[in-house]
Amino acid sequence: MNARTRAGSSALMFAALSGKFNATSALLRAGADVSLQDQKGLTALMAAAARGHGRIVQLLLSRSASVLEQRDVFERTALLHAVEAGHAAVVDCLVAHGSPLPRARYAASRQAWEHRARFQTDAAAQGAFVCT
């Protein structure tokens, strides 16, 4: 279930990265380890957050809140991945679930995220993910 590629990626990481909610859910039910990290320190949560897959982020968090504090080799958490990619709803969800807020790095990334957000359309009006 937790077999990995040479780079350390697992099936759960691939499913989360690809936005495959049903596959992610099935892998979790079968016992996939949500805390596994690849050689770069990436987790399934980081992958889903970076791609803006909010439902998958929420699903992964329902299995383990401890993954919020995991960091990749560049010291980025799932929150920072979401901020840098401009996924406001995912950022809000991670913060609501208790994600630690990085200090200096978060401030610079937050500015970039706010800049991007000004040019995005209203995601809620388009039926986008809303964290519960």
Side-chain angles (χ1 to χ4, degrees):
M1 177 53 45
N2 291 310
R4 299 165 83 167
T5 66
R6 287 185 203 161
S9 298
S10 67
L12 182 63
M13 291 175 196
F14 284 118
L17 179 69
S18 302
K20 306 291 185 188
F21 182 84
N22 291 338
T24 302
S25 182
L27 287 164
L28 289 170
R29 281 193 310 273
D33 184 351
V34 70
S35 66
L36 288 180
Q37 292 180 276
D38 69 10
Q39 290 178 350
K40 293 181 181 178
L42 295 174
T43 64
L45 180 64
M46 291 175 196
R51 292 287 177 97
H53 301 308
R55 289 181 58 218
I56 293 175
V57 165
Q58 199 164 11
L59 177 63
L60 294 168
L61 289 173
S62 74
R63 297 298 177 147
S64 174
S66 67
V67 295
L68 284 169
E69 298 196 23
Q70 287 181 292
R71 298 178 183 279
D72 65 16
V73 296
F74 301 106
E75 293 297 312
R76 293 178 300 178
T77 62
L79 176 65
L80 218 52
H81 281 275
V83 167
E84 290 175 354
H87 298 298
V90 173
V91 168
D92 291 343
C93 186
L94 291 166
V95 170
H97 280 86
S99 183
L101 299 174
R103 289 172 179 68
R105 208 160 159 183
Y106 179 75
S109 296
R110 177 82 179 185
Q111 290 172 356
W113 168 60
E114 288 171 351
H115 177 73
R116 286 183 190 159
R118 278 186 247 135
F119 298 100
Q120 292 177 346
T121 57
D122 183 9
Q126 297 177 11
F129 163 76
V130 177
C131 183
T132 57

